[in-house]
Amino acid sequence: MRDDGRLTAPGSLLSGAVVTPEGEDSGQLPEGSDSLAELAAQYGLRPSSARPGLVSYLGLVWQRRHFILAYATARNVSMYTEARLGQFWQVLTPLLNSAVYYLIFGVIFQANRGISHYTAYLVTGVFIFSFTERSIVVGSTVMRANITLIRALHFPRACLPLAYVMVEFQQLLLSMLVMFAIVLGDGEPLSWYWLFLLPALVLQATFNMGAALIMARLGAGAQDFSQLIPFFTRIWRYFCGVMYSIASLPASLPEWAKDLLSLNPAAVYISLVRYAIMSTQRADAPGAQPYNAAKCALFTAKKFPALQAYCHPQFMTGELWLAGIGWAVVTLVIGAVFFWQAETRYGRG
């Protein structure tokens, strides 16, 4: 027998009179309430699917900072549990990449000309760029990879790309122990300049969070986009001075092109880290010595690293710090707003 108004199954409203158990409320509005909207406003209720304001949303993400850290740590531990070498792959992968690049660029193409302690230079560039590269690539797939979790639990979706950046950051910190050993073993001294490594990594991690939020929204909307990201990051790698010195590029290259290469975000953070832990980068950097046209011309012809200090600098170290701060802040703000605008759409379909 069909009773109008009685909900007998999810999504099925049957016809007939409303039947309620004896002694229970019939579902009528309280006296004095004209509508459900007024009743909801009276008790501060809102639809569960409504998107909170940006400030409120950021507050919700901050409240779950412990979840982000715990989730990142657990995923980091479980990532290589089935591999025989386990966590060692976090270090072995960038080391193998460094060995390949050293063979191709350092030996075959002789990109090490004009660079003191090329091994330390190359390893630093590979490790630092891999942090940004992995954050962007993984960020583009994070929403689809965690669709079950998204549909099962209610939480700010921005926690996921942020947690995956934390995974990559933890892996970077572990791999940097090996990077430090290589840098010191290549002849670079330990000095107080190494303290600048901390703010440089914080700025890079901030930039990576913003980039991961942007990639997460784009990747959630189109799976093909996630397939293209690794190709773009691979191209980006060759324009960041990872395997060569931007200052040592041929003089025929326009100055605006060198400026563009020097100020792209990955190149900025790589340069800041190199300046922090490599004394030769500080001593040989263009502008480290008063300008001398003859010595600068000799460097252009012969690529003696020490002579590079007598050339005009592309950018001073202070300008690179400002660029690093700017990239970090602007990217994070854009990423947060861009991701928040589609918060209620994640997990549909």
Side-chain angles (χ1 to χ4, degrees), residues 28 69 99 173 266 274:
Q28 296 180 349
L69 182 59
L173 294 180
R274 283 172 174 161

Side-chain angles (χ1 to χ4, degrees), residues 18 24 48 57 68 76-77 140 182 208 255 258 290 313 325 338:
V18 176
E24 291 189 5
S48 60
Y57 183 73
I68 294 174
N76 193 25
V77 171
S140 67
I182 294 175
N208 291 353
E255 287 298 318
K258 291 184 179 181
I325 295 172
F338 189 60

Side-chain angles (χ1 to χ4, degrees), residues 197-220:
L197 180 65
L198 180 59
L201 293 180
V202 170
L203 289 176
Q204 185 187 12
T206 304
F207 168 82
N208 291 353
M209 290 179 183
L213 289 171
I214 295 173
M215 294 298 108
R217 175 174 175 179
L218 295 176

Side-chain angles (χ1 to χ4, degrees), residues 121-161:
Y121 185 94
L122 176 63
V123 170
T124 302
V126 170
F127 276 60
I128 297 303
F129 181 81
S130 295
F131 177 33
T132 295
E133 180 183 35
R134 289 293 306 162
S135 298
I136 291 176
V137 171
V138 175
S140 67
T141 62
V142 64
M143 306 308 291
R144 292 182 179 274
N146 292 274
I147 192 65
T148 303
L149 179 64
I150 291 173
R151 291 174 176 172
L153 300 176
H154 179 70
F155 63 96
R157 310 311 189 204
C159 293
L160 288 174

Side-chain angles (χ1 to χ4, degrees), residues 18-34:
V18 176
V19 179
T20 57
E22 184 177 355
E24 291 189 5
D25 185 20
S26 62
Q28 296 180 349
L29 293 175
E31 185 176 351
S33 297
D34 297 331

Side-chain angles (χ1 to χ4, degrees), residues 112-116 283-285 299 303-309:
N112 57 345
R113 296 183 63 203
I115 302 175
S116 300
D284 300 342
F299 166 76
K303 300 299 182 184
F304 295 136
L307 297 179
Q308 182 180 220

